[in-house]
Amino acid sequence: MKEKEDQAAAVIPPPANDNGPEQGAAQEAERHLDTIARAIGRHIAREHIRAWERERRKRAANDNRPMEEGREPDG
């Protein structure tokens, strides 16, 4: 009996659908990678904004530069 079952299993090909587990897993992995990449990009953008804000706070509010020798002030 076991012999006939083995022969029958060898004759029947696997289903030929395009949504096999291999392709589905690859698509799922791709989605996860996209999500991770977006999260990393957002994190980097936040760091840049924070650094820019720190630099902006360091500057004087009037933003008048000291006069250079021989140069008249603007305005």
Side-chain angles (χ1 to χ4, degrees):
M1 239 1 189
K2 179 82 171 144
E3 227 174 88
K4 287 185 181 182
E5 289 174 6
D6 290 339
Q7 288 175 352
V11 173
I12 300 172
N17 62 8
D18 291 338
N19 300 330
E22 299 84 24
Q23 191 176 27
Q27 287 174 347
E28 186 176 352
E30 188 71 26
R31 278 194 324 240
H32 289 300
L33 286 174
D34 288 345
T35 302
I36 292 168
R38 276 190 225 106
I40 291 170
R42 287 185 192 118
H43 181 73
I44 291 170
R46 284 186 195 111
E47 286 180 350
H48 280 277
I49 289 171
R50 286 184 193 125
W52 176 78
E53 287 175 344
R54 280 193 300 268
E55 285 298 315
R56 192 180 75 180
R57 279 189 230 133
K58 288 180 184 177
R59 287 189 233 133
N62 61 10
D63 201 21
N64 290 337
R65 292 174 284 179
M67 284 183 21
E68 295 174 13
E69 193 170 321
R71 182 170 174 255
E72 294 294 321
D74 297 334

